[in-house]
Amino acid sequence: MSKVLLITIATGKYHSFIESMLGSAREFFLSSESHEVNFLVFTDNPTLIPDHSDIYTSVWDHRPWPYPTLLRYHAFLSQKDFLSDYDCLFYCDADMLFVAPVGDEILADGLVATIHPGFYNKHINDFSYERNENSTAYIPYGLGENYYAGGFNGGRSADFIEMCKVIKHNIDVDHSKDIIAEWHDESQLNKYFYDVVSPAKKLDPSYCFPEADWAKDLPFDKKLIALDKNHEELRA
């Protein structure tokens, strides 16, 4: 039996999503008997997290935007030893909802990434890669393969933890130069998949399907929905 950990972050107003996300994950995420699945929530208020034996919490302060997302890899590494006890690690945004079974098709011998629904059929020059040459996340025009969403990714624990280390380092280097990549951790994630290692498995946008109206005609089945919300209000 494999041990799998699903990680998320719920601080500030994102607490409003966590109960439904975890409830849907407990129903649909790797629910076969061949997996032991637990959950780890980084939160500034553990009392707001559902009390179940398979849900763990780690205290993580809420910070002004964009730091709640930019520093996610710093958070993960603060619990590196705990993460290392698992065979596979996956990250899911708190404002997501599992709506259909997500099974063994997401597992791979390496890292797993989700193709961003907004860019799956776009030319590489239209991808939202970081274009600031001074950033560690920089990818030149004309290069790249896919643009990956930051909302759902994972893989073997050793590979995931190594990815966290590299991305944390690059974010710290940028920070020392007063640089923040345009799409924060997602920019750094895409640089890692471009520059260090390509994902062993590339999931289609079913695993980050937008609830927004613009996505209604996307040719994918809904498995994991990115909920529509007022970003400015949540990040205030």
Side-chain angles (χ1 to χ4, degrees), residues 27-228:
E27 179 179 1
F28 289 120
F29 179 71
L30 294 176
S31 57
S32 77
E33 294 182 357
S34 59
H35 305 293
E36 175 190 337
V37 179
N38 289 321
F39 306 90
L40 174 61
V41 183
F42 289 90
T43 177
D44 56 336
N45 191 343
T47 64
L48 298 178
I49 306 304
D51 185 14
H52 296 288
S53 61
D54 56 355
I55 299 175
Y56 298 87
T57 60
S58 179
V59 175
W60 188 252
D61 291 340
H62 183 68
R63 295 167 173 83
W65 187 259
Y67 293 100
T69 188
L70 181 67
L71 299 183
R72 66 176 56 175
Y73 296 101
H74 295 66
F76 302 161
L77 289 173
S78 74
Q79 293 293 330
K80 179 171 65 70
D81 290 343
F82 182 79
L83 270 56
S84 297
D85 286 337
Y86 288 84
D87 301 305
C88 296
L89 304 169
F90 281 86
Y91 169 79
C92 179
D93 280 349
D95 53 359
M96 305 271 270
L97 195 68
F98 291 84
V99 295
V102 172
D104 288 4
E105 78 278 0
I106 69 169
L107 301 178
D109 187 19
L111 291 170
V112 179
T114 304
I115 295 173
H116 196 293
F119 299 98
Y120 81 96
N121 61 347
K122 298 291 196 303
H123 187 273
I124 56 174
N125 285 345
D126 294 325
F127 292 172
S128 291
Y129 290 151
E130 177 58 37
R131 304 303 187 183
N132 178 359
E133 296 182 11
N134 296 315
S135 172
T136 57
Y138 171 64
I139 298 177
Y141 284 104
L143 298 179
E145 179 185 13
N146 294 299
Y147 187 86
Y148 299 103
F152 186 68
N153 55 78
R156 292 193 313 181
S157 59
D159 298 292
F160 188 86
I161 290 170
E162 178 61 25
M163 179 182 75
C164 292
K165 291 177 180 177
V166 173
I167 292 178
K168 175 186 179 296
H169 170 77
N170 289 341
I171 288 171
D172 289 341
V173 170
D174 274 11
H175 190 262
S176 72
K177 301 176 183 178
D178 293 324
I179 295 172
I180 295 178
E182 182 178 7
W183 294 107
H184 318 123
D185 53 281
E186 189 175 80
S187 297
Q188 295 287 353
L189 179 74
N190 275 277
K191 178 58 179 286
Y192 188 85
F193 288 142
Y194 163 74
D195 198 42
V196 180
V197 61
S198 182
K201 179 157 289 188
K202 301 160 188 175
L203 302 176
D204 68 44
S206 297
Y207 300 87
C208 191
F209 197 105
E211 187 181 36
D213 287 342
W214 67 263
K216 62 183 179 181
D217 295 326
L218 289 176
F220 303 102
D221 296 325
K222 299 177 182 178
K223 290 180 176 288
L224 181 55
I225 289 178
L227 297 174
D228 203 12

